[in-house]
Amino acid sequence: MTTVSMTVNGQTVTKDIDPRTLLVQFVREHLRLTGTHVGCDTSQCGACVVHLDGVSVKACTTLAVQADGGVVTTIEGIAQGAQLHPMQEAFREHHGLQCGYCTPGMIMSAIDIVNRKGTDLDEATIREELDGNICRCTGYHNIVKAVMAGAQAMAAGGMRQAAE
Amino acid sequence: MAVTSIGERVTRKEDHRFITGKGRYTDDINRPGQTFAVFVRSPHAAATIRTINASKALAMPGVLAVLTGDDLATDNVGGLICGWMIHSKDGTPMKAGPHPALAQGKVRYVGDHVAVVIAETLAQAKDAAEAVAVDYEVGKAVVDVASALTKGAPAVHDVAPDNRVFSWHLGDKAATDAAFAKAKHVTSLDIVNNRLIPNPMEPRAAVGDYDSGSDAFTLYTTSQNPHVARLVLSAFIGIAPEHKLRVVAPDVGVGFGS
């Protein structure tokens, strides 16, 4: 067993864990934050994307011990109370989800795209940057619309970083 | 705001929990005192199981049980049924092999389930699964339909020694034969239907909850048809009578027919 300590969605947590524990297992099982999903075992699908120290990572391929001392933001941490993050609103408004399983990862990746590429995103950039996120329901069409609109809404709100 | 016109846009009701990460998919459901199952799977495409030695696994921390196909047979747990009986052209019923949840006697594909380890944590179950020793007599495998139908190909299921489950036709044979007989030109084609792997984003998951107080079972599972699941589990697999078995499909990361 080893001890890890990190800030998750603004709260400091310290747990004793098996050192093999993945970050996705840590948030899901030790913190009961089940919004981050496991969709594959090959790190291709992106359902597990979270932000670690301000950048998107695949939590299924990150050991919890690698996040020791770090700042983690999950899908549960981006809204401000009842006020949703503009990217979340955009996914709802533009029907960017059906079953919802890929959605947390899509939203976290989308916010990271804006952080890195700015708020004026074109379709080609969005499609390229979402290469690491797989959706089996939507055909991506409305996800692209949602990301574009969410990015513009983030500009209007003066945001470029996920809420902590 | 009330919707008043036909064709007016209506927002979905379920989106809020999905976009906030508050969906309740099967693996999000946790029951107090739950245990974890990890399967021991065959590395061989075709083999006879000689012995399964679980003694080392059973002695490992947190391990509660190691179950095999023999245990299923002892407890009269049935296998999966085929929902549609087909009769061949000669009127004989199709020759379908059994599908028990854990292999009985033989393994028939790489990954075939041979044993299941139940332990208090997932890590303990994974470690113990690696300690289950299975002695296989490796056989010859055949992995594509064309090869399986050639003379001398190994039989995958004893019930179908020529690997042909059924040979089926539908329609008016006399009229069809007559049309072919007077056709100017006849072409024959072999058409292959590829395997269908719908591959939804959510992996298969199940949580089984037994309440000894009421002798009742609840299964949470990624299913498109929980009522059918309950029927099959009750009538054919024999878990419990239907009024003692509840099957819940919570939020499901789609199925596309799988």
Side-chain angles (χ1 to χ4, degrees), chain A residues 44-82:
Chain A
Q44 293 178 67
C45 81
C48 67
V49 171
V50 299
H51 294 178
L52 173 57
D53 295 333
V55 297
S56 67
V57 296
K58 291 194 169 174
C60 73
T61 332
T62 308
L63 292 168
V65 294
Q66 289 176 267
D68 190 34
V71 175
V72 176
T73 308
T74 71
I75 185 73
E76 293 94 338
I78 60 173
Q80 304 266 33

Side-chain angles (χ1 to χ4, degrees), chain A residues 18 20 25 28-29 32 34-35 37-40 45 75-76 84 88-89 91-95 97-104 107 134-137, chain B residues 9 11-12 14-16 18-23 25 27-30 34 36 122-124 126-127 197-203 251-254 256:
Chain A
D18 183 313
R20 293 174 292 177
Q25 291 171 307
R28 287 181 57 80
E29 293 162 33
R32 294 283 183 241
T34 55
H37 297 149
V38 174
C40 69
C45 81
I75 185 73
E76 293 94 338
L84 292 181
Q88 288 171 302
E89 286 286 5
F91 269 74
R92 172 164 52 194
E93 180 63 22
H94 294 275
H95 190 37
L97 66 150
Q98 290 183 24
C99 81
Y101 202 75
C102 76
T103 305
I107 291 172
I134 301 177
C135 170
R136 292 284 293 128
C137 293
Chain B
R9 193 174 174 231
T11 48
R12 299 197 332 159
E14 60 268 62
D15 283 0
H16 184 78
F18 295 153
I19 60 178
T20 55
K22 302 283 190 198
Y25 301 90
D27 193 54
D28 301 340
I29 295 169
N30 292 286
Q34 70 185 4
F36 296 81
L122 183 57
Q124 289 169 338
K126 279 187 183 175
D127 287 342
I197 309 211
N199 216 5
M201 286 315 298
E202 183 186 16
D251 288 329
V252 176
V254 297
F256 308 121

Side-chain angles (χ1 to χ4, degrees), chain A residues 75-157:
Chain A
I75 185 73
E76 293 94 338
I78 60 173
Q80 304 266 33
Q83 174 81 34
L84 292 181
H85 190 285
M87 191 58 77
Q88 288 171 302
E89 286 286 5
F91 269 74
R92 172 164 52 194
E93 180 63 22
H94 294 275
H95 190 37
L97 66 150
Q98 290 183 24
C99 81
Y101 202 75
C102 76
T103 305
M106 286 286 179
I107 291 172
M108 297 310 283
S109 287
I111 293 169
D112 181 73
I113 292 169
V114 173
N115 289 345
R116 287 181 294 106
K117 298 279 185 181
T119 54
D120 195 17
L121 300 170
D122 64 15
E123 188 184 325
T125 302
I126 295 170
R127 286 183 183 275
E128 167 85 28
E129 291 291 324
L130 283 179
D131 193 40
N133 290 76
I134 301 177
C135 170
R136 292 284 293 128
C137 293
T138 67
Y140 303 101
H141 195 63
N142 286 340
I143 290 177
V144 173
K145 283 187 190 168
V147 176
M148 204 175 294
Q152 278 157 13
M154 284 171 75

Side-chain angles (χ1 to χ4, degrees), chain B residues 33-48:
Chain B
Q34 70 185 4
T35 57
F36 296 81
V38 171
F39 289 92
V40 177
R41 296 169 181 265
S42 167
H44 306 294
T48 304

Side-chain angles (χ1 to χ4, degrees), chain B residues 58-101:
Chain B
L58 284 163
M60 290 172 69
V63 175
L64 301 164
V66 178
L67 303 171
T68 69
D70 286 348
D71 293 308
L72 292 179
T74 305
D75 288 349
N76 279 318
V77 177
L80 261 188
I81 52 155
C82 179
W84 187 5
M85 167 59 71
I86 289 180
H87 287 82
S88 287
K89 288 188 276 201
D90 63 2
T92 57
M94 67 189 195
K95 294 181 279 183
H99 279 80

Side-chain angles (χ1 to χ4, degrees), chain B:
Chain B
M1 199 192 313
V3 172
T4 55
S5 341
I6 291 171
E8 193 167 326
R9 193 174 174 231
V10 184
T11 48
R12 299 197 332 159
K13 291 181 174 150
E14 60 268 62
D15 283 0
H16 184 78
R17 64 181 185 274
F18 295 153
I19 60 178
T20 55
K22 302 283 190 198
R24 244 179 135 234
Y25 301 90
T26 301
D27 193 54
D28 301 340
I29 295 169
N30 292 286
R31 307 292 300 140
Q34 70 185 4
T35 57
F36 296 81
V38 171
F39 289 92
V40 177
R41 296 169 181 265
S42 167
H44 306 294
T48 304
I49 300 167
R50 283 208 202 97
T51 56
I52 302 174
N53 189 338
S55 52
K56 197 163 158 232
L58 284 163
M60 290 172 69
V63 175
L64 301 164
V66 178
L67 303 171
T68 69
D70 286 348
D71 293 308
L72 292 179
T74 305
D75 288 349
N76 279 318
V77 177
L80 261 188
I81 52 155
C82 179
W84 187 5
M85 167 59 71
I86 289 180
H87 287 82
S88 287
K89 288 188 276 201
D90 63 2
T92 57
M94 67 189 195
K95 294 181 279 183
H99 279 80
L102 294 172
Q104 290 166 339
K106 279 192 175 150
V107 291
R108 295 185 169 85
Y109 55 94
V110 174
D112 202 350
H113 314 77
V114 173
V116 62
V117 174
I118 317 284
E120 287 167 358
T121 73
L122 183 57
Q124 289 169 338
K126 279 187 183 175
D127 287 342
E130 286 174 19
V132 174
V134 185
D135 185 22
Y136 297 100
E137 186 183 318
V138 183
K140 265 201 162 67
V142 62
V143 295
D144 69 278
V145 174
S147 305
L149 291 174
T150 58
K151 203 165 154 55
V156 178
H157 287 281
D158 296 338
V159 69
D162 59 351
N163 288 324
R164 190 182 292 267
V165 177
F166 56 79
S167 182
W168 181 68
H169 63 185
L170 182 71
D172 182 337
K173 190 170 194 315
T176 306
D177 286 346
F180 273 85
K182 58 178 202 263
K184 182 148 181 166
H185 182 76
V186 173
T187 298
S188 170
L189 292 173
D190 283 338
I191 299 172
V192 176
N193 280 338
N194 56 282
R195 242 175 109 185
L196 288 179
I197 309 211
N199 216 5
M201 286 315 298
E202 183 186 16
R204 292 171 194 255
V207 180
D209 192 346
Y210 174 65
D211 173 11
S212 59
S214 358
D215 188 32
F217 297 80
T218 304
L219 173 68
Y220 301 89
T221 188
T222 53
S223 176
Q224 292 179 252
N225 37 29
H227 293 89
V228 174
R230 182 177 65 173
L231 170 66
V232 172
L233 284 166
S234 176
F236 299 100
I237 296 176
I239 299 293
E242 279 196 41
H243 68 289
K244 290 285 189 182
L245 172 60
R246 185 173 174 228
V247 178
V248 178
D251 288 329
V252 176
V254 297
F256 308 121
S258 69

